[in-house]
Amino acid sequence: MRSPMNRRGFMALGAGLAAVPALSACGAYGSDPDTLVLHSQMGGNAPGSPTFRAVVNQFRKENPDITVKNLINGDDLGQVYETSRLARAEADVVMVNLYDKTLSWTEVGATVPVGGYLDDWGLRERVIPKAVTEWTDGQGRLRAFPYIGTNWPIAFNHALLERAGVDAPPTTSDELVAAARKLRGKGITPFTVGGNDWTGQKLLAQIIQTFLTPAEARHLYRTGDFSGSRGAQEGIGYFVDLRDAGVFADKAQGLTSDAMTTQFNTGHAAMQSAMSSALASVPDNVVKSTSVGGFPLTEGAARKKPTILRTYTVSGFWVSPNGVKKIGTVERFIRFMYRPDVVGRFVTEGGRDMSVVTDALSKDFPLVAKAQQLGDSVDQVVLPDQYIPSVAAQPLIQATSIAFTPGTSARAIRSALESAYRSA
């Protein structure tokens, strides 16, 4: 399906120009060839953010002839960048994931393909080949320099499971339902999830794929044909069975990722679906009794082993048209970020999984390291982000909240999911 973000749609964003605070900051520095303007979500104390700030400072010290301006936005980064691009005042390099708005950036000229730079700068061998594949669009354009990836397993708190009389993490649907019943009997939330945001949307997608091959999953999320796919119908039915059996947290349809991680990190929930950044934030007193694995399967599943999500598209370096004007400065920054010692710091200090080849180990982040070592003991399902039309991304999260609402039938869930695609 062609991206719905065409040039007319991109230009329509111009109405918001005056409201975007990043514009004046970009404009003040953007024309200077010796100034590099970075734009990222790497603020606060999120895993990897302190490391990012530290390595940027290191780059400044090693390159005193370059002035670095570091702009920070949160979930609104896509909107801010697009609006600044309309004013021709965008940052030179943008560090953000491949999802929603960013899927169309290269197609509409908001950013430039970087495959030629990757080769000219001799960096292709530094990137995990699957990462290159995931960042390449249907026209063969490498959208950005791949950088951060993630493993996304299920975390199990053994102390809580054992308190409820559950000897081991569940690996089948029957074991999962039985464990949930026992946990609730002890007043413990079985499986916490942000049913009102992206974390719930990813878990729902993972469960739906129980009965889908990877090719079928990619087709499903490109088209949104949840009623026409027998495997999707079975997967949604499996989700409803688990929800109605009390597996998920009470009022999951209103929970966010922050509420989810708080429940798990404070020892109030026995299980959660946790990407690397969440695993890195689990406190030591919970880490010592936590293991990671896959989501349990049920009878007739197309998968052979409990499932996890993996992706190499958590964050990459996008080059803007402004960045092309000072490509020599951009090259120095990208080469620096790809250096083994710099990449290693994100692993050892930030607890991140990388899309760049590295020998560094997450020794100070035991759960991240355990997830890296799962290997063939689990089955990897498709992360749908690359295939969902950008206009359907937020509506799908709304549909996810409907799915986690008690009493919503499988048919109603399919209808809600399909409705998210109708404007695509």
Side-chain angles (χ1 to χ4, degrees):
M1 179 177 291
R2 181 177 173 83
S3 169
M5 185 60 169
N6 56 28
R7 291 185 183 275
R8 179 180 297 176
F10 184 59
M11 292 302 295
L13 292 168
L17 279 174
V20 180
L23 287 179
S24 60
C26 286
Y29 294 91
S31 60
D32 183 355
D34 295 322
T35 296
L36 181 69
V37 184
L38 306 177
H39 195 179
S40 78
Q41 294 174 312
M42 289 291 193
N45 294 315
S49 294
T51 301
F52 180 70
R53 292 192 294 271
V55 298
V56 168
N57 284 334
Q58 181 182 346
F59 177 79
R60 289 186 175 109
K61 292 177 181 178
E62 294 184 16
N63 299 271
D65 58 317
I66 296 176
T67 299
V68 180
K69 176 67 176 179
N70 195 12
L71 306 176
I72 304 294
N73 279 102
D75 292 340
D76 61 340
L77 183 147
Q79 180 72 38
V80 172
Y81 176 77
E82 289 177 357
T83 309
S84 63
R85 172 59 196 151
L86 287 172
R88 301 299 186 263
E90 79 276 7
D92 305 311
V93 176
V94 188
M95 188 181 189
V96 70
N97 61 338
L98 181 62
Y99 173 62
D100 196 0
K101 288 178 176 295
T102 67
L103 288 167
S104 62
W105 279 1
T106 304
E107 179 182 348
V108 302
T111 55
V112 301
V114 301
Y117 297 131
L118 189 74
D119 291 326
D120 291 346
W121 300 345
L123 297 176
R124 187 171 290 270
E125 66 181 15
R126 296 281 296 122
V127 185
I128 295 171
K130 191 170 182 180
V132 173
T133 299
E134 289 191 4
W135 280 93
T136 301
D137 69 12
Q139 304 302 313
R141 297 171 295 210
L142 182 63
R143 295 177 171 104
F145 292 92
Y147 204 65
I148 297 177
T150 191
N151 284 303
W152 207 325
I154 308 302
F156 301 93
N157 186 322
H158 288 248
L160 296 182
L161 291 172
E162 291 170 5
R163 188 189 306 170
V166 180
D167 296 332
T171 59
T172 68
S173 59
D174 289 344
E175 291 175 356
L176 179 57
V177 170
R181 189 177 301 118
K182 292 179 179 179
L183 287 161
R184 285 188 174 277
K186 293 293 185 180
I188 301 168
T189 296
F191 199 117
T192 184
V193 58
N196 195 33
D197 68 8
W198 54 275
T199 53
Q201 186 255 331
K202 298 301 185 295
L203 180 62
L204 176 60
Q206 182 176 352
I207 295 171
I208 290 174
Q209 290 185 61
T210 301
F211 297 92
L212 296 171
T213 65
E216 290 170 337
R218 288 190 288 269
H219 176 76
L220 174 68
Y221 281 100
R222 285 190 181 105
T223 64
D225 188 11
F226 292 87
S227 295
S229 166
R230 180 177 178 180
Q233 291 186 37
E234 292 177 322
I236 292 171
Y238 178 37
F239 168 82
V240 170
D241 289 343
L242 296 177
R243 183 201 66 197
D244 292 349
V247 167
F248 305 116
D250 292 340
K251 301 180 180 179
Q253 71 274 19
L255 298 181
T256 64
S257 58
D258 288 343
M260 177 190 77
T261 54
T262 297
Q263 284 189 343
F264 189 85
N265 290 355
T266 57
H268 289 90
M271 294 170 273
Q272 71 166 341
S273 172
M275 64 189 302
S276 300
S277 56
L279 294 174
S281 70
V282 177
D284 292 342
N285 64 313
V286 178
V287 165
K288 64 183 181 183
S289 60
T290 299
S291 67
V292 296
F295 192 88
L297 299 179
T298 190
E299 185 177 355
R303 304 291 176 166
K304 302 301 182 184
K305 301 171 185 176
T307 63
I308 70 166
L309 291 163
R310 283 196 187 104
T311 182
Y312 296 97
T313 59
V314 169
S315 194
F317 296 110
W318 306 68
V319 178
S320 75
N322 271 345
V324 174
K325 297 174 184 177
K326 54 181 82 170
I327 197 64
T329 301
V330 170
E331 177 182 356
R332 286 166 66 178
F333 176 73
I334 298 297
R335 284 183 178 277
F336 169 84
M337 294 301 293
Y338 267 49
R339 274 178 14 194
D341 61 309
V342 175
V343 173
R345 291 186 65 176
F346 281 89
V347 178
T348 59
E349 299 173 16
R352 302 308 302 247
D353 289 303
M354 304 303 292
S355 299
V356 185
V357 176
T358 178
D359 293 328
L361 299 175
S362 303
K363 294 179 180 179
D364 293 334
F365 302 90
L367 296 183
V368 177
K370 288 180 180 179
Q372 293 167 344
Q373 296 164 358
L374 283 171
D376 295 335
S377 66
V378 291
D379 197 350
Q380 179 181 340
V381 298
V382 172
L383 184 78
D385 293 6
Q386 297 168 256
Y387 310 104
I388 297 171
S390 61
V391 296
Q394 291 306 311
L396 274 175
I397 290 176
Q398 297 169 7
T400 297
S401 181
I402 293 172
F404 277 97
T405 301
T408 306
S409 67
R411 181 176 181 179
I413 293 172
R414 293 198 302 271
S415 177
L417 293 171
E418 289 173 341
S419 292
Y421 282 76
R422 286 177 186 161
S423 59

